[in-house]
């Protein structure tokens, strides 16, 4: 049918956009990570993107990856990033079950406002969260200042720059993402199942452990996957407050701004992309495996 | 129904055990805990917001002095310049000096970010609605792949996309289009999700066929049948796109040039260069731009927001 064929063309602008500005750049990134590293330290700065296919074939090397995996520093950055992101993803999801539950299962005046408050950090970039943790828990943040006024001792001062400060800051901007996703999952939950379990004599813990948790597990796991990806990519917080921890996104940023070593930064990006995407995919698969009922 | 049969029913029920209560003491306890955690989370979210609004206007030195008004400040043409302003500012409790400073130094950046957000909304609407319609209405090869790739930016780090874009499109590097591209990549999923979810939720093909059987042309069907039904989804998608574009930092930070800087990057500069008061003023200006969009989202929201909000 003629009309059918022409109608499908409406998707073309999007496909062209994605091809030119997402797929091609990502392929270029992968290709460029195999070119010998430049950067000001090596004295090999060159025009970014200045190679043709022929040149590329002649210069292709694993130099960047050998440096990356041979150097304990970058491996530790990668490890820090992955462990921190996973821990934060799991922690924030557990924490956000509470507001998601409240939003679905209870009624109170001002619920929309409460929901709006919870979504505030959604559009905050990492730097803003970093600033906020500094004004709350920095050297002379609001909380130490209040504690000093109350007790005469500025407790919790400088917490912002420690690992716990980093964790708090990351959880801060995971709250809306985790809450909204979990809320949708809980809304879909069939509460008749809970009533059935109760009428069969299940205790509270049995209802939670054998009915609620197994049925919500896929949603919980996919929320973890999402939160993980967001944490991996967000480097604004770390840029402001991570003074003691080397994290992969910050290393990439420094490699570009400090040494202009685009080739090595590309290799770091490729590793980060591979790790993020495989972990994300694995978690999503895991979530699907736990579906008790088939999705529509 | 006669009263005698009602009595029989009551008599029968009287002999039976009472129905089991679903809301036991344990459930009430857990709900209480959930309320408590929620309230604490809301407080944790709001308190830094409150502190920055206070800091943006205060003359207090409780959080460090604001003696340094950053390097971008130029004395006003009339009056005694910044030193007089500062002395005046330190006299009362509140001052607008920090706001005036931010507007003077970062005013262009604020306008640029608004421009980016508005252009993102327009382009994601045009490209996204057309593509969503095609994705839901027609079957073609690679359809699932297209949907998967649109959502890809949500799960890949922005800095990697930025570095890829810089290297692959060197000619775009000095222009503001490259920042726009970064914003579009990260906002497109929200628009597409909002619109496709709505399109999948009702049988618009039947409506379209009905209109066609009455002789409506393709453009008439679009104008009078499809688009009116998508109005709400487009509104929710636009608000999401606006909010996300306004705060986008991860991808756009490296895409920025000294001339074209988006506001979150300017915020990073104020945090590094300026005093607590000036940084607070800059942050609260960002919030004042953002909050109306977020609150509007909650009030116009509904199902589209719930579904599109997943993976925000």
């Amino acid at each position: 049918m003629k009309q059918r064929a022409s109608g499908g063309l409406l998707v073309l602008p999007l496909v062209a956009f994605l091809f030119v500005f997402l797929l091609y750049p990502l392929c270029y990134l992968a290709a460029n990570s195999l070119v010998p590293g430049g950067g000001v330290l090596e004295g090999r700065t060159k025009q970014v993107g200045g190679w043709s296919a022929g040149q590329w074939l002649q210069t292709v090397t694993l130099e960047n990856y050998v440096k990356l995996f041979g150097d304990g520093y970058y491996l530790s950055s990668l490890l820090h990033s992955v462990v921190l992101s996973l821990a934060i993803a799991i922690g924030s999801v557990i924490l956000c079950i509470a507001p998601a539950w409240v939003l679905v299962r209870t009624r109170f005046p001002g619920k929309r406002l409460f929901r709006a408050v919870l979504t505030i950090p959604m559009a905050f970039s990492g730097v803003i969260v970093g600033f906020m943790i500094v004004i709350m828990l920095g050297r002379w943040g609001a909380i130490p200042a209040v504690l000093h006024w109350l007790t005469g001792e500025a407790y919790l001062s400088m917490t912002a720059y420690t690992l716990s400060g980093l964790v708090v800051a990351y959880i801060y901007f995971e709250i809306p993402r985790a809450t909204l996703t979990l809320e949708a999952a809980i809304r879909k939950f069939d509460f008749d199942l809970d009533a059935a379990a109760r009428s069969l004599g299940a205790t509270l813990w049995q209802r939670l452990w054998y009915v609620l948790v197994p049925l919500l597990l896929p949603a919980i796991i996919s929320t973890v996957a999402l939160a993980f990806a967001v944490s991996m990519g967000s480097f604004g917080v770390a840029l402001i407050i991570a003074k003691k921890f080397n994290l992969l996104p910050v290393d990439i940023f420094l490699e570009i701004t400090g040494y202009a070593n685009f080739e090595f930064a590309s290799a770091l990006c490729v590793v980060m992309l591979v790790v993020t995407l495989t972990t994300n995919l694995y978690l999503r698969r895991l979530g699907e495996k736990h579906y008790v009922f088939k999705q529509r | 129904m006669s009263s005698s049969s009602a009595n029989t029913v009551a008599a029968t029920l009287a002999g039976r055990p009472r129905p089991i209560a679903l809301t036991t003491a344990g459930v009430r306890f857990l709900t209480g805990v959930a309320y408590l955690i929620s309230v604490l989370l809301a407080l944790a979210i709001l308190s830094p917001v409150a502190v920055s609004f206070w800091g943006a206007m205060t003359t207090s030195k409780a959080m460090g002095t604001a003696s340094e008004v950053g390097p971008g400040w130029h004395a006003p043409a009339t009056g005694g310049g910044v030193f007089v302003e500062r002395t005046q500012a330190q006299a009362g409790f509140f001052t607008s000096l920090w706001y005036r400073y931010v507007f003077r130094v970062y005013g262009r950046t604020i306008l640029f970010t608004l421009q980016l957000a508005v252009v993102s909304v327009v382009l994601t609407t045009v490209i996204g609605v057309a593509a969503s319609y095609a994705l839901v209405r027609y079957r073609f090869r690679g359809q699932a792949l297209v949907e998967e790739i649109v959502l890809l930016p949500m799960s890949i780090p922005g800095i990697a996309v930025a570095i890829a874009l810089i290297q692959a499109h060197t000619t775009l590097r000095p222009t503001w289009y490259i920042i726009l591209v970064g914003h579009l990549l990260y906002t497109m999923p929200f628009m597409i999700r909002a619109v496709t979810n709505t399109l999948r939720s009702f049988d618009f093909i039947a409506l379209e066929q009905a209109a066609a059987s009455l002789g409506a042309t393709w453009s008439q069907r679009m104008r009078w049948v499809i688009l009116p039904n998508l109005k709400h989804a487009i509104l929710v998608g636009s608000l999401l796109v606006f909010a996300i574009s306004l705060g986008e930092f991860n991808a756009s930070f490296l895409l920025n040039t000294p001339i074209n800087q988006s506001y979150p990057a300017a915020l990073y500069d104020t945090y590094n260069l300026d005093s607590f008061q000036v940084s607070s003023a800059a942050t609260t200006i960002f919030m004042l731009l953002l909050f109306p969009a977020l609150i509007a989202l909650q009030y116009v929201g509904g199902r589209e927001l719930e579904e599109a909000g997943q993976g925000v």
Side-chain angles (χ1 to χ4, degrees):
Chain A
M1 219 157 92
K2 185 169 173 277
Q3 194 219 323
R4 175 157 298 204
S6 64
L9 293 180
L10 284 172
V11 83
L12 268 187
L14 179 72
V15 171
F17 173 75
L18 290 175
F19 192 81
V20 175
F21 292 114
L22 186 63
L23 295 183
Y24 165 65
L26 287 179
C27 293
Y28 197 101
L29 185 82
N32 209 35
S33 71
L34 295 171
V35 170
V40 285
L41 282 189
E42 315 268 323
R44 286 195 294 195
T45 35
K46 58 180 173 57
Q47 190 64 42
V48 176
W51 42 256
S52 67
Q55 285 169 325
W56 184 77
L57 275 177
Q58 278 169 4
T59 55
V60 65
T61 165
L62 283 175
E63 192 185 282
N64 292 319
Y65 290 97
V66 171
K67 179 178 166 194
L68 202 164
F69 289 109
D71 194 331
Y73 176 78
Y74 296 107
L75 283 182
S76 74
S77 297
L78 179 63
L79 193 72
H80 287 173
S81 282
V82 171
V83 171
L84 186 73
S85 302
L86 261 185
I88 280 155
I90 294 169
S92 60
V93 167
I94 290 173
L95 204 61
C96 287
I97 290 176
W101 185 268
V102 166
L103 282 173
V104 178
R105 294 297 287 173
T106 62
R107 255 167 214 236
F108 53 92
K111 192 161 146 181
R112 277 171 195 239
L113 199 66
F114 174 67
R115 209 156 172 276
V117 166
L118 285 182
T119 51
I120 284 176
M122 182 174 81
F124 279 4
S125 46
V127 276
I128 297 180
V129 180
F131 169 70
M132 289 182 150
I133 193 87
V134 169
I135 64 172
M136 293 309 287
L137 289 165
R139 188 189 300 279
W140 196 242
I143 293 173
V146 167
L147 288 175
H148 180 262
W149 178 64
L150 286 176
T151 64
E153 189 70 47
Y155 294 110
L156 295 177
S157 178
M158 299 294 281
T159 317
Y161 304 101
T162 62
L163 182 60
S164 35
L166 204 59
V167 170
V168 170
Y170 268 88
I171 286 181
Y172 186 89
F173 70 79
E174 294 289 3
I175 290 173
R177 295 166 175 90
T179 308
L180 285 182
T181 321
L182 286 172
E183 188 194 342
I186 295 177
R187 210 173 279 280
K188 280 184 197 144
F189 179 75
D190 185 1
F191 277 91
D192 289 346
L193 294 169
D194 181 50
R198 177 75 185 113
S199 75
L200 291 170
T203 64
L204 179 65
W205 293 114
Q206 284 171 331
R207 278 157 70 192
L208 285 178
W209 191 245
Y210 293 109
V211 181
L212 207 61
V213 170
L215 284 170
L216 287 181
L217 201 58
I220 290 174
I221 292 176
S222 66
T223 314
V224 168
L226 173 89
F228 172 78
V230 174
S231 300
M232 273 300 273
S234 133
F235 73 115
V237 181
L239 214 52
I240 301 268
I241 57 174
K243 311 281 187 208
K244 293 177 191 158
F245 307 93
N246 43 330
L247 293 168
L248 201 55
V250 181
D251 283 346
I252 295 174
F253 174 74
L254 293 178
E255 205 63 45
I256 295 281
T257 54
Y259 311 112
N261 192 346
F262 278 86
E263 291 74 22
F264 187 61
S266 301
L268 285 172
C269 282
V270 168
V271 170
M272 182 162 74
L273 281 177
V274 168
V275 170
T276 312
L277 284 179
T278 41
T279 315
N280 207 10
L281 257 174
Y282 170 75
L283 284 173
R284 272 163 60 183
R285 283 276 160 77
L286 195 71
E288 277 158 24
K289 224 169 65 183
H290 282 279
Y291 275 125
V292 177
F293 300 123
K294 281 271 173 285
Q295 291 294 89
R296 297 179 264 128
Chain B
M1 184 182 280
S2 67
S3 64
S4 66
S5 74
N7 283 341
T8 348
V9 171
T12 331
L13 280 177
R16 293 191 179 177
R18 287 192 315 158
I20 299 162
L22 283 174
T23 318
T24 55
V27 171
R28 269 197 294 275
F29 172 73
L30 286 183
T31 311
V33 171
Y35 263 119
L36 187 70
I37 295 176
S38 309
V39 169
L40 286 179
L41 283 180
L43 273 181
I45 288 174
L46 283 179
S47 54
V49 175
V51 171
S52 34
F53 270 98
W54 171 76
M57 293 187 297
T58 185
T59 55
S60 153
K61 296 190 186 78
M63 303 271 287
T65 57
S67 57
E68 294 298 323
V69 179
W73 179 268
H74 301 293
T78 55
V82 63
F83 294 105
V84 175
E85 292 230 19
R86 212 174 63 214
T87 334
Q88 285 166 354
Q90 281 163 358
F93 288 107
F94 294 108
T95 174
S96 63
L97 178 62
W98 322 131
Y99 278 114
R100 278 181 284 138
Y101 172 75
V102 171
F103 278 122
R104 194 164 299 191
V105 180
Y106 299 103
R108 271 194 38 164
T109 319
I110 297 173
L111 289 180
F112 177 64
T113 265
L114 286 175
Q115 174 193 343
L116 266 179
V118 170
V119 176
S120 298
V121 167
V122 172
L123 285 179
T124 47
T125 307
V126 173
I127 300 177
V129 172
S132 307
Y133 176 78
L135 282 172
V136 181
R137 176 78 170 80
Y138 304 101
R139 305 273 120 228
F140 49 88
R141 221 182 299 162
Q143 198 168 24
L145 194 67
V146 173
E147 286 195 49
E148 198 64 29
I149 293 173
V150 178
L151 300 184
L152 190 64
M154 290 184 129
S155 50
I156 61 180
I159 190 168
V161 171
I163 290 174
L165 276 173
I166 291 172
Q167 296 185 94
H169 294 288
T170 41
T171 47
L172 285 182
R173 180 75 183 99
T175 66
W176 70 284
Y177 298 115
I178 198 160
I179 313 173
L180 181 66
V181 165
H183 280 239
L184 287 178
L185 281 175
Y186 278 86
T187 50
M188 192 66 85
F190 295 95
M191 181 61 84
I192 300 253
R193 265 228 269 229
V195 177
T196 50
N197 279 337
T198 301
L199 280 175
R200 288 197 172 115
S201 70
F202 70 102
D203 192 359
F204 73 94
I205 298 178
L207 289 180
E208 230 194 304
Q209 282 165 346
S213 76
L214 293 170
T217 62
W218 187 82
S219 58
Q220 281 173 329
R221 297 198 304 263
M222 277 292 140
R223 172 72 186 80
W224 302 108
V225 180
I226 302 296
L227 288 180
N229 276 306
L230 289 181
K231 224 163 39 184
H232 191 243
I234 293 174
L235 182 62
V236 170
S238 303
L239 284 170
L240 274 169
V241 167
F242 182 83
I244 301 292
S245 165
L246 214 56
E248 159 56 37
F249 175 82
N250 291 336
S252 47
F253 188 43
L254 280 182
L255 297 175
N256 282 319
T257 60
I259 301 157
N260 301 315
Q261 204 186 21
S262 70
Y263 196 52
L267 285 177
Y268 178 68
D269 284 352
T270 69
Y271 300 153
N272 279 331
L273 301 171
D274 293 325
S275 68
F276 158 69
Q277 285 83 348
V278 171
S279 308
S280 295
T283 310
T284 52
I285 290 170
F286 172 77
M287 291 174 190
L288 291 175
L289 295 176
L290 176 71
F291 287 175
L294 286 186
I295 292 170
L297 257 180
Q298 292 306 318
Y299 282 87
V300 302
R303 202 175 33 75
E304 279 91 356
L305 177 62
E306 252 159 52
E307 276 160 13
Q310 290 181 52
V312 171

